[in-house]
Amino acid sequence: MNDQHWTVHAKFANDLTVQIGDSIFQLHQLAMVSKSGYLNRLAFQRGINQEKIRVPKIQIHDFPGGAEIFLLVVKFCYGWKVDLTAANIGPVYCAAHFLEMSDDLQQENLISKTETFLSYLLFASWEDIFQILRSCENNFSWAKELQISKRCSEAIAWKACIDPRAFTYIDDDAFAENSQNGCVAENWWFEDVSRLRIDHFLEVIELIKQKGMKSELIGSCIAHWTTKWLSQIRFGQHNLSKHLTQQLLRVTAENLIKVLPEEKNSVSCNFLLHLLKLGMMMRISSQLLNHLETRIAVMLEHCSASDLLIKNYGNNDTVYDVKIVTRVVKSYMSSVLKNSTSSRTFLVGRLVDEYLTMVARDDKLLIEQFSSLSEALPKDARYCNDTLYGAIDMYLKAHPKLTEEERTTICRAMNYHKLSEEARQHAMKNDRLPSCITTRLILLEQVNMAKSMTSSGSNFRRTKTQAVIRLSKGLDEGCITPRKEIRLMKQEVENMKVQLNALQMCRMQLQKQVKGHFVCGGI
């Protein structure tokens, strides 16, 4: 016997030759055909049609498991010991059906033997189920036709829904990793399931859904599988051509979107954004993309800014994908905003501003990307513009070479009337802001000061400030004010503050005197 040629020696001469691929087996008809309906049929047909050929030769193409599995079949037919394991039960089960080795020919034939052992493994073991699935990958069509894959998926789904201590589980160390204080974590099965191929994984998820598992747990499992699978693609662990990789990614993305649980909060916003990014890159159907966008848009009111951080991997890209967030925010505007109250809209406005604050320092973030996102929501979607101002200031600090016009574009979404007193004071002294914005803030401060002083009963009248205020008429057109005049306006504001403070002190003294007068009069 060698690697390519097997000969079974017995008292009688070999009278049957079987070729499996490049391997040739010299066998005996009686031992083989008595247990295989397939070989029985072929051997006798050859014997009748080719009477001059003393030893019929049967050539079998696409035999399940190849020559290695056929050798196990030969051993079984000759009554020798055959070691069935989780690694070979799948191919041997397929081979037994291929060769038609049923109990009709002989009791306890190979089909019934393998069926008994397969059923035992599916019921009693957890790790062996995954070994069976892996062993069937090269015999996919047979495994599918004989429902081995489905039975394995059903066994995984059933076991995932019960306490793993109810059946033979993994080794003690691995069990301990998935346990806390003697209690088994709900996601104990994630890591094993994440190794499944996409078709097997989808089948398991559908079956788990039918068994009523919590949607949050299902969503977390899908996210875990996707993260692990995408990392394998990214680092080249799948031996696929570029075309096949693209095709696999597209089909996978579409199927993952379809299998997602629909229940609220079953999947995180961050994972859905990653899935949307993958779908856009792979150009999946627009219908699925729109469905995903709308689903994410509905979740925005309950998200945090960190949920929106989706990394780019190109060398010339921004660190985080701002475009995809802009796309979702615009979807929120078109499909969700009309059904939301102003208080809910304020939540999204604050979310966008906090996100802009997190990405503003990226030196590769373009003006168009920043302004497109900041202007995606209407100005009345922000109750206060302090966070947006902070994001704008960070962007201007990270991009010091911007022109006056570009800085004005960055500030376009900001409503300076909605800045707090503290933010306005900071902005008036901020040389990074365009001149027109600084001027408007100073004028606003002057107007507020004048109102306060008038309400205090002051006879104060503006002098130089009157000439400065007239500059406001041309702000919207040219939006350019000389720095000298801005400094003058700032000085006037400071003078007005001093006078206002003096008036307030005087007012407090008068109130004390009046109060003392009434007290004395009462005595």
Side-chain angles (χ1 to χ4, degrees):
M1 179 185 298
N2 57 47
D3 291 341
Q4 299 294 325
H5 201 121
W6 283 266
T7 301
V8 178
H9 298 284
K11 295 180 180 180
F12 304 100
N14 303 101
D15 55 359
L16 178 65
T17 302
V18 179
Q19 182 173 351
I20 308 291
D22 295 331
S23 301
I24 297 176
F25 294 81
Q26 300 291 343
L27 308 170
H28 300 86
Q29 281 192 12
L30 182 61
M32 299 301 297
V33 302
S34 62
K35 295 181 180 178
S36 170
Y38 177 83
L39 292 177
N40 188 320
R41 189 167 58 253
L42 290 184
F44 281 107
Q45 286 178 356
R46 288 293 182 92
I48 295 173
N49 297 330
Q50 302 179 25
E51 294 179 358
K52 293 182 179 180
I53 297 178
R54 189 172 181 181
V55 180
K57 181 178 180 181
I58 299 174
Q59 190 169 3
I60 302 177
H61 301 284
D62 301 324
F63 183 79
E68 182 180 354
I69 298 301
F70 188 76
L71 180 60
L72 294 178
V73 174
V74 170
K75 289 182 177 180
F76 175 82
C77 290
Y78 279 86
W80 301 337
K81 183 181 179 181
V82 177
D83 291 325
L84 293 178
T85 65
N88 65 29
I89 184 61
V92 173
Y93 185 86
C94 295
H97 282 80
F98 180 95
L99 295 172
E100 302 171 16
M101 301 178 71
S102 66
D103 284 2
D104 293 338
L105 296 175
Q106 189 176 81
Q107 287 297 311
E108 297 186 358
N109 208 345
L110 192 55
I111 289 180
S112 60
K113 286 278 189 183
T114 53
E115 173 62 37
T116 301
F117 188 67
L118 177 63
S119 299
Y120 167 75
L121 290 180
L122 293 178
F123 176 78
S125 177
W126 170 257
E127 284 188 324
D128 287 343
I129 301 174
F130 298 91
Q131 182 69 38
I132 293 168
L133 278 174
R134 286 192 293 271
S135 71
C136 291
E137 288 182 357
N138 294 327
N139 307 291
F140 176 72
S141 58
W142 272 97
K144 184 177 181 179
E145 182 179 341
L146 298 173
Q147 297 193 331
I148 299 178
S149 301
K150 184 177 181 181
R151 291 172 65 181
C152 288
S153 298
E154 288 175 342
I156 293 171
W158 171 67
K159 292 177 188 292
C161 294
I162 64 175
D163 192 319
R165 289 171 292 192
F167 51 87
T168 303
Y169 187 59
I170 52 183
D171 59 84
D172 294 338
D173 292 337
F175 184 83
E177 291 178 4
N178 291 285
S179 306
Q180 294 179 352
N181 301 324
C183 298
V184 181
E186 288 184 311
N187 64 349
W188 65 266
W189 48 280
F190 278 19
E191 190 60 31
D192 291 318
V193 171
S194 68
R195 299 189 184 99
L196 292 176
R197 208 170 62 180
I198 178 64
D199 50 341
H200 296 154
F201 175 74
L202 294 173
E203 192 170 36
V204 168
I205 291 298
E206 289 292 357
L207 290 166
I208 286 177
K209 281 184 179 180
Q210 295 174 16
K211 294 184 181 300
M213 180 173 283
K214 290 189 296 185
S215 59
E216 294 87 350
L217 206 55
I218 296 174
S220 297
C221 179
I222 295 173
H224 185 82
W225 184 93
T226 305
T227 301
K228 188 165 186 175
W229 182 79
L230 283 177
S231 66
Q232 293 175 347
I233 293 291
R234 189 180 303 127
F235 296 111
Q237 294 179 18
H238 280 288
N239 187 22
L240 299 170
S241 65
K242 183 177 180 180
H243 173 71
L244 286 177
T245 300
Q246 294 266 343
Q247 188 176 6
L248 178 62
L249 282 169
R250 181 166 56 253
V251 172
T252 301
E254 290 180 343
N255 281 287
L256 287 173
I257 294 171
K258 291 175 183 177
V259 81
L260 288 173
E262 293 292 335
E263 288 81 359
K264 186 178 180 181
N265 299 325
S266 59
V267 189
S268 72
C269 178
N270 185 264
F271 171 64
L272 291 179
L273 280 169
H274 276 95
L275 210 52
L276 178 61
K277 182 178 177 68
L278 175 62
M280 291 168 60
M281 291 171 58
M282 295 301 106
R283 299 180 181 178
I284 66 173
S285 71
S286 58
Q287 183 179 0
L288 284 175
L289 282 179
N290 293 335
H291 172 73
L292 201 54
E293 280 179 17
T294 304
R295 180 167 183 176
I296 300 170
V298 172
M299 300 173 70
L300 287 181
E301 296 174 359
H302 309 283
C303 288
S304 65
S306 58
D307 293 331
L308 306 182
L309 295 176
I310 307 298
K311 279 195 172 183
N312 281 319
Y313 295 98
N315 295 329
N316 298 320
D317 291 329
T318 54
V319 176
Y320 297 106
D321 194 337
V322 179
K323 292 180 180 179
I324 196 170
V325 176
T326 305
R327 178 169 179 157
V328 171
V329 172
K330 288 181 177 179
S331 177
Y332 172 84
M333 285 294 301
S334 61
S335 60
V336 183
L337 183 59
K338 56 186 176 183
N339 298 322
S340 293
T341 61
S342 57
S343 61
R344 308 306 298 178
T345 309
F346 289 153
L347 293 175
V348 179
R350 184 174 64 184
L351 173 71
V352 170
D353 294 347
E354 289 175 352
Y355 174 78
L356 284 170
T357 303
M358 299 176 81
V359 301
R361 293 187 179 91
D362 190 343
D363 58 358
K364 292 182 180 179
L365 182 61
L366 300 177
I367 297 171
E368 294 78 9
Q369 293 174 333
F370 186 96
S371 59
S372 179
L373 178 54
S374 63
E375 296 173 22
L377 290 171
K379 290 189 176 182
D380 59 4
R382 295 177 172 92
Y383 179 77
C384 176
N385 276 208
D386 284 15
T387 308
L388 177 60
Y389 167 65
I392 290 172
D393 189 36
M394 287 182 185
Y395 186 86
L396 295 176
K397 189 182 295 184
H399 302 78
K401 296 182 180 180
L402 297 181
T403 65
E404 182 80 4
E405 183 180 355
E406 289 172 334
R407 285 182 288 150
T408 303
T409 301
I410 290 297
C411 298
R412 205 159 48 198
M414 183 176 67
N415 184 348
Y416 54 88
H417 290 281
K418 290 186 176 183
L419 291 176
S420 65
E421 177 66 22
E422 183 181 358
R424 282 203 305 271
Q425 294 301 322
H426 183 279
M428 283 191 297
K429 301 174 184 178
N430 191 346
D431 293 333
R432 287 184 290 272
L433 291 175
S435 300
C436 60
I437 298 297
T438 307
T439 305
R440 288 172 181 171
L441 287 167
I442 294 174
L443 290 174
L444 178 62
E445 188 71 8
Q446 288 178 333
V447 171
N448 291 338
M449 288 277 188
K451 287 181 180 179
S452 298
M453 298 174 78
T454 302
S455 64
S456 299
S458 170
N459 291 323
F460 174 81
R461 295 291 182 269
R462 289 170 293 176
T463 54
K464 296 178 182 178
T465 306
Q466 290 177 328
V468 175
I469 291 179
R470 284 197 297 270
L471 293 171
S472 62
K473 295 180 180 179
L475 288 179
D476 293 332
E477 297 178 2
C479 200
I480 299 176
T481 304
R483 292 289 174 181
K484 184 178 180 180
E485 294 180 354
I486 291 177
R487 286 196 298 270
L488 176 62
M489 294 168 70
K490 288 181 178 179
Q491 185 178 352
E492 287 294 317
V493 169
E494 293 300 323
N495 292 335
M496 292 174 71
K497 284 184 179 179
V498 172
Q499 295 181 47
L500 180 59
N501 288 334
L503 283 170
Q504 289 175 340
M505 291 294 295
C506 183
R507 182 178 181 181
M508 290 174 64
Q509 291 177 0
L510 286 172
Q511 287 176 341
K512 287 181 179 180
Q513 292 175 5
V514 171
K515 185 177 181 181
H517 175 74
F518 279 114
V519 171
C520 292
I523 294 174

